[in-house]
Amino acid sequence: MLGLQFIGVAAPRPRRPRVLVAEDHPLLRRAIRVALERDGYDVLEAGNGLELVDRLQETMVAGEPAPDLVLSDQGLPLATGLEVLGRLREAQWPLPFVLMLDGPVDGRLEADAYRLGARAVLAKPFGLEQLRATVRAALALPAEEVTA
Amino acid sequence: MILRPRPPLVALAEPLPRLRRALSAALEARGCSVLEVQDGVELLEYLGQASTGDEDWPQLLVASEVMPGLGGLDVLSELQEAGAARPPTILLAARAARVRRAARALGVAVVLDKPPDPASMGWWVQRLVAPEPVRLTIDGW
């Protein structure tokens, strides 16, 4: 359904880490974008699961660097975060992925996320520090080391 | 079982800790529940969570014009661009007259000189925060 195909182009890592934020609530998406941009990340946005897949394909087709991290809500319209993560893994694309869950965390969804290789599961509502720490950890960046 | 009105929630964004504490105490003395943040990015993040229903949406914003990251007007611009509702807002500015036009364009109810006169701010808080007769909390449940 999602038609995701990893064509194996190894893009050079950008100077500023790129995070693709997939969240269907526009204000929360905007808030995450603003917070991450202030911390020195490049941020791409998607408002539903198919848009998330489209963004990934667009970067490949355009020969742009792929995102370094996907930060995706589970409850996205059209395709859930886990469905997209499953497709990424089927396409053997080891893109770091953080799944945001509406709290309290559903243990089954959390287990599925980790089984599919998610780097972290972030329960909503989360604070800025928690968001920053999770993104840094998922990108394996040292604390406070993102270059603006 | 006691039924009582839920206190109105005010989101207070002020980077100066002493002023923030003083404003918070003044708002609480007016019967408000206060959510304190120290800059505009934190405020926007809170409002983002509130827009999903994960946090309570504030009935009033009290925000400084100048803050690290995003100022009060920047936050209102972000809300506008996201198509989100904007709570009634009291903007605090060092030179209030200078920003009134921009503030009015973004729907700010009033711009007060910073630090605000307590009586003036109290009057505006009373005027902007409507009581919530429908939302009730039940003690002991």
Side-chain angles (χ1 to χ4, degrees), chain A residues 11-43:
Chain A
R13 189 182 176 87
R15 188 175 66 84
R16 288 158 57 111
R18 296 183 109 193
V19 181
L20 173 49
V21 177
E23 167 60 56
D24 57 319
H25 289 93
L27 185 55
L28 181 56
R29 189 171 69 241
R30 202 166 190 91
I32 294 171
R33 193 206 72 199
V34 168
L36 293 179
E37 282 180 346
R38 297 279 163 182
D39 286 354
Y41 298 96
D42 276 336
V43 179

Side-chain angles (χ1 to χ4, degrees), chain A residues 4-129:
Chain A
L4 186 67
Q5 189 182 9
F6 177 43
I7 56 175
V9 177
R13 189 182 176 87
R15 188 175 66 84
R16 288 158 57 111
R18 296 183 109 193
V19 181
L20 173 49
V21 177
E23 167 60 56
D24 57 319
H25 289 93
L27 185 55
L28 181 56
R29 189 171 69 241
R30 202 166 190 91
I32 294 171
R33 193 206 72 199
V34 168
L36 293 179
E37 282 180 346
R38 297 279 163 182
D39 286 354
Y41 298 96
D42 276 336
V43 179
L44 306 172
E45 293 183 38
N48 62 53
L50 292 186
E51 236 180 66
L52 168 54
V53 171
D54 283 347
R55 292 282 172 277
L56 292 170
Q57 288 179 325
E58 281 166 11
T59 58
M60 285 191 293
V61 169
E64 291 175 9
D68 298 281
L69 176 70
V70 174
L71 178 63
S72 172
D73 183 34
Q74 162 60 9
L76 294 175
L78 304 180
T80 67
L82 273 181
E83 285 173 335
V84 175
L85 176 59
R87 293 293 172 165
L88 285 171
R89 296 309 177 242
E90 280 175 21
Q92 299 186 324
W93 193 351
L95 188 59
F97 200 100
V98 172
L99 190 70
M100 298 184 285
L101 291 178
D102 289 312
V105 168
D106 178 328
R108 187 179 50 82
L109 288 177
E110 190 179 19
D112 285 348
Y114 286 124
R115 183 176 52 77
L116 288 167
R119 292 275 175 95
V121 170
L122 192 56
K124 294 180 187 175
F126 46 79
L128 270 185
E129 281 316 306

Side-chain angles (χ1 to χ4, degrees), chain B residues 63-66 73 90-104 108 110-117 120:
Chain B
S64 177
E65 179 216 355
V66 176
L73 292 179
I90 297 174
L91 190 75
L92 307 178
R95 291 162 66 190
R98 207 167 47 89
V99 296
R100 281 215 169 89
R101 181 177 292 182
R104 200 164 31 239
V108 170
V110 63
V111 184
L112 298 178
D113 280 309
K114 184 176 172 180
D117 167 59
S120 177

Side-chain angles (χ1 to χ4, degrees), chain A residues 23 25-28 30-35 38 101-103 124-129 131-132, chain B residues 39 41-42 44-45 47-49 51-52 54-55 57 69-70 74 77-79 81-82 84-85:
Chain A
E23 167 60 56
H25 289 93
L27 185 55
L28 181 56
R30 202 166 190 91
I32 294 171
R33 193 206 72 199
V34 168
R38 297 279 163 182
L101 291 178
D102 289 312
K124 294 180 187 175
F126 46 79
L128 270 185
E129 281 316 306
L131 172 69
R132 289 176 170 135
Chain B
D39 61 46
V41 180
E42 277 189 9
L44 188 62
E45 191 271 341
L47 294 172
Q49 305 276 5
S51 73
T52 72
D54 285 332
E55 300 281 7
W57 188 257
L70 292 179
D74 298 323
S77 293
E78 293 288 349
L79 292 176
E81 285 183 36

